[in-house]
Amino acid sequence: MVGRFVHDKLEKGRYKLTSQRAAVLDIMMDNRGRHLSADEVFFEAKTRLPNIGIATVYRTLEKMASLEILHKTVFDQGKYRYELCDENAHHHHHIICLSCNSIIEVQDDLLNSLEKHLEEQGYRIIDHELKLYAYCPDCLQKRRDDSTPDVSS
Amino acid sequence: MVGRFVHDKLEKGRYKLTSQRAAVLDIMMDNRGRHLSADEVFFEAKTRLPNIGIATVYRTLEKMASLEILHKTVFDQGKYRYELCDENAHHHHHIICLSCNSIIEVQDDLLNSLEKHLEEQGYRIIDHELKLYAYCPDCLQKRRDDSTPDVSS
DNA sequence: GTTATGCTTGATAATGATAATCACTTATGG
DNA sequence: CCATAAGTGATTATCATTATCAAGCATAAC
Ligand SMILES: [Zn+2]
Ligand SMILES: [Zn+2]
Ligand SMILES: [Zn+2]
Ligand SMILES: [Zn+2]
């Protein structure tokens, strides 16, 4: 079920689409919008291919990242997380809730003016990664509820 | 040689300024603008306190980060890096050169409009971290020099 | 002083994510 | 079929960080 997008990139690298690689890619596509770690992918992959080895998962994730099929990043530390690349050029950014640790994606791209400023100073900007640390609306609401004693009890 | 800034934060946490902690802080102050890993700090600390243990360095860096004396982040992965916090509230951002891996600091803060936009959506933004990946002017110049054959030889 | 209490330290072991190794299997092309 | 290379699973190695633990050193009571 891999799309042309992924197919082309694999062929360009002359890599075979084995069942293991297909399983990993399927998992990533089934979890679009989430950011999975290698062990999470491995756990899910075991349910589809019980004999798959953890090393293959690591190798596949690494390879797909080098082909720019997956984007590799680190939110917390000591652990990489992967997600499907945006097919259309520019990637997105992330808000990480300081309370529930949920990761919300931001599509706004108001960084162009900053990039332009720096290009004028002689840099050639290739990519950027923005992480905003915040409290999400849900958590803020929950906090309000908690501090408002329930009158009915 | 620790400033009032650091002193106050230590006292607030009721922590003693031992010779080991002072050594680590001195190293961080002597390397203002750089981003040191635990082993780099340990190596330098050994020249000042030959008996200092690696565990103490880790503990001290961790403690100083929790007191917001040091800022802890990860540029490459699998390794934390530390730097002194900006005393005046808002922190800075980083440009990482894709060629020489140098880290250049950016003071511009053109992210306010994005933050404002998100606050309107119900988020409470606390902090952000921006990493720009680029080629620095030096590396771009070097590349130009290399591709221009030397006529005089 | 002596003693008790708790913070701090250094050495070392444990942990945990990822990378490397290696023997075995599976395409693929002649 | 045979040769070559790619891919896999199991296992080990690596490396940064954390946990453990006994000893050292304060500070404050006794
Ligand atoms: Zn939240
Ligand atoms: Zn994302
Ligand atoms: Zn450079
Ligand atoms: Zn910095």
Side-chain angles (χ1 to χ4, degrees):
Chain A
M1 290 304 106
V2 271
R4 172 141 312 281
F5 167 66
V6 170
H7 233 276
D8 290 351
K9 295 209 169 185
L10 279 176
E11 287 202 341
K12 205 169 159 199
R14 294 209 277 340
Y15 295 118
K16 293 167 198 157
L17 184 59
T18 63
S19 59
Q20 291 89 340
R21 289 174 182 174
V24 168
L25 284 170
D26 283 347
I27 290 165
M28 297 312 293
M29 300 203 305
D30 290 351
N31 287 279
R32 204 177 272 276
R34 296 189 58 210
H35 306 80
L36 305 179
S37 60
D39 56 320
E40 286 169 348
V41 173
F42 179 57
F43 182 82
E44 175 61 25
K46 287 281 252 186
T47 70
R48 307 184 188 203
L49 288 177
N51 289 325
I52 196 171
I54 181 83
T56 300
V57 171
Y58 273 107
R59 277 186 297 240
T60 303
L61 291 173
E62 187 56 40
K63 189 145 290 184
M64 298 303 144
S66 76
L67 293 174
E68 294 183 66
I69 292 168
L70 298 180
H71 177 65
K72 178 182 184 179
T73 186
V74 39
F75 291 103
D76 40 43
Q77 103 78 226
K79 196 178 265 193
Y80 287 119
R81 292 190 169 272
Y82 299 84
E83 63 181 318
L84 278 179
C85 282
D86 300 326
E87 300 196 17
N88 36 21
H90 233 41
H91 53 77
H92 57 263
H93 307 297
H94 298 99
I95 305 177
I96 299 143
C97 178
L98 292 167
S99 177
C100 67
N101 290 314
S102 63
I103 299 168
I104 305 101
E105 311 210 325
V106 196
Q107 297 299 339
D108 300 74
D109 203 351
L110 305 177
L111 300 169
N112 290 338
S113 53
L114 176 55
E115 291 194 8
K116 199 168 294 175
H117 179 57
L118 292 165
E119 297 262 359
E120 280 164 12
Q121 288 182 244
Y123 291 99
R124 175 153 314 147
I125 310 292
I126 303 299
D127 201 1
H128 60 245
E129 188 170 33
L130 173 63
K131 289 181 192 155
L132 293 151
Y133 299 92
Y135 291 103
C136 71
D138 287 355
C139 286
L140 288 171
Q141 187 56 50
K142 209 167 292 168
R143 202 199 296 183
R144 263 180 235 115
D145 294 346
D146 289 349
S147 62
T148 308
D150 189 349
V151 190
S152 67
S153 67
Chain B
M1 289 303 107
V2 272
R4 172 142 313 281
F5 167 68
V6 171
H7 232 277
D8 290 351
K9 295 210 169 185
L10 279 176
E11 287 202 340
K12 204 167 159 201
R14 295 209 277 341
Y15 294 118
K16 293 167 200 158
L17 184 60
T18 63
S19 60
Q20 291 90 339
R21 288 174 182 173
V24 168
L25 284 170
D26 282 348
I27 290 165
M28 297 312 293
M29 299 203 305
D30 290 351
N31 287 279
R32 203 177 275 275
R34 297 189 56 211
H35 306 81
L36 304 179
S37 61
D39 54 320
E40 286 169 346
V41 173
F42 178 57
F43 183 82
E44 175 61 25
K46 286 281 252 187
T47 70
R48 307 184 189 203
L49 289 176
N51 289 325
I52 195 171
I54 182 84
T56 300
V57 171
Y58 273 106
R59 275 187 297 241
T60 302
L61 291 173
E62 187 56 38
K63 188 144 292 183
M64 299 302 147
S66 75
L67 292 174
E68 293 182 67
I69 291 167
L70 297 181
H71 178 64
K72 179 181 182 178
T73 188
V74 40
F75 291 104
D76 39 43
Q77 107 76 224
K79 197 178 265 193
Y80 286 119
R81 291 190 169 273
Y82 299 84
E83 65 181 318
L84 279 178
C85 282
D86 300 326
E87 300 196 16
N88 36 21
H90 233 39
H91 54 78
H92 57 264
H93 307 298
H94 297 100
I95 304 177
I96 298 141
C97 178
L98 292 166
S99 177
C100 66
N101 289 314
S102 63
I103 299 167
I104 305 102
E105 312 210 325
V106 196
Q107 297 300 336
D108 299 73
D109 203 350
L110 304 179
L111 301 169
N112 289 339
S113 53
L114 176 55
E115 291 195 8
K116 200 168 294 174
H117 178 57
L118 292 165
E119 297 262 359
E120 282 164 12
Q121 288 182 245
Y123 290 99
R124 175 152 314 145
I125 311 291
I126 302 298
D127 200 2
H128 61 246
E129 187 170 32
L130 172 63
K131 288 181 193 154
L132 293 151
Y133 300 91
Y135 291 104
C136 71
D138 288 356
C139 286
L140 288 171
Q141 186 56 49
K142 210 167 292 166
R143 202 198 298 183
R144 263 180 237 114
D145 294 347
D146 290 349
S147 62
T148 308
D150 189 350
V151 189
S152 67
S153 70

